Amino acid sequence: MANEKKTVTAATEVKKEEKVKTAETKPAAAPVAAPKAAEVKPAEVKAAAPAPKKEEKKPAEKKPAAKKTAEKKPAAAKKTAAKTEAKPAAKTAAKAPKAPKAPKVSPYEAALAKSQKKFASVKTDKVKYPIAVNVELSGSAEGIFYVYLSEAGKPAVEPYKYDDYDVYVRADADAFNKVLDGKLSVYDALADGSLHVEGTVKKALMFFLSAF
């Protein structure tokens, strides 16, 4: 019995020594590394992180453009309005009634006006007594008027026939106009027959000497 115990004990010690040798022989276990933080892949980060929102264009940025457009529109509207106003104005001006034309002066009226101007400048200081002369025109201007010369007043020329005349002159209108303009003398007009005189000779001579 005692031998068996010793054998068991010796076997046990041998096993213990083997275990110790084995333990000494085995390399020390590498220290356990601290668990690494789980690496997050970029794709996973992108997936995990909320996608950044696209910057929306603020209405404030668009407003200036809208303002410019708004500013341009009134200008166009003004131009259109100006054109619209200009057109009616031009049309109105075109349609405006023309000033009435002065009535045409007849040859007789022209001769009368020229006679009034001519005899108005006659000096009556040489006229010793009143002279009433009827002048009857023919040809290009037909009509009759009278000339009244008096020392007491200014000469008068009126488009009427003087009944109580002193001298009656019949003349071609063109020739009489030349006499009034000084282009033809009374004596030449009498000589060529374009002017005829009837009445008191003295008063006729005084009339022509005073007037022409």
Side-chain angles (χ1 to χ4, degrees):
M1 291 295 287
N3 290 331
E4 289 177 4
K5 285 180 183 180
K6 285 179 182 180
T7 305
V8 171
T9 302
T12 304
E13 286 178 3
V14 171
K15 286 181 181 181
K16 283 182 182 181
E17 285 177 2
E18 288 177 0
K19 285 182 181 179
V20 171
K21 286 181 181 179
T22 305
E24 288 175 359
T25 306
K26 285 182 181 180
V32 179
K36 291 182 181 180
E39 291 182 1
V40 181
K41 292 182 180 180
E44 293 176 358
V45 173
K46 288 181 182 178
K53 293 182 180 179
K54 292 182 180 179
E55 291 184 3
E56 295 181 359
K57 291 183 181 178
K58 295 180 181 179
E61 293 177 358
K62 292 183 180 179
K63 281 182 181 177
K67 284 183 181 178
K68 287 182 182 177
T69 307
E71 287 172 2
K72 288 180 181 177
K73 283 182 180 176
K78 284 180 182 178
K79 287 181 182 178
T80 306
K83 287 181 182 178
T84 307
E85 289 174 3
K87 285 181 181 177
K91 287 182 181 178
T92 306
K95 291 182 180 179
K98 294 180 180 179
K101 292 182 180 180
K104 290 183 179 180
V105 179
S106 66
Y108 166 75
E109 290 172 334
L112 175 64
K114 188 179 286 188
S115 299
Q116 289 173 333
K117 185 177 180 180
K118 174 68 177 178
F119 292 110
S121 61
V122 172
K123 294 180 180 180
T124 58
D125 54 347
K126 294 181 181 180
V127 178
K128 296 180 180 179
Y129 32 79
I131 304 172
V133 181
N134 280 332
V135 179
E136 184 179 349
L137 301 176
S138 60
S140 60
E142 295 184 359
I144 189 169
F145 60 90
Y146 76 85
V147 181
Y148 186 82
L149 301 180
S150 173
E151 187 181 7
K154 292 180 179 180
V157 179
E158 299 296 336
Y160 308 108
K161 183 179 180 180
Y162 199 89
D163 293 334
D164 192 15
Y165 63 88
D166 299 307
V167 179
Y168 202 100
V169 178
R170 289 181 175 86
D172 175 75
D174 295 335
F176 189 74
N177 281 326
K178 287 180 181 180
V179 171
L180 292 176
D181 293 334
K183 295 178 180 180
L184 179 67
S185 70
V186 175
Y187 306 106
D188 291 338
L190 288 168
D192 64 16
S194 56
L195 190 145
H196 299 274
V197 180
E198 298 173 4
T200 307
V201 177
K202 271 188 178 181
K203 289 190 176 183
L205 288 173
M206 189 174 290
F207 170 72
F208 288 118
L209 289 172
S210 300
F212 302 101

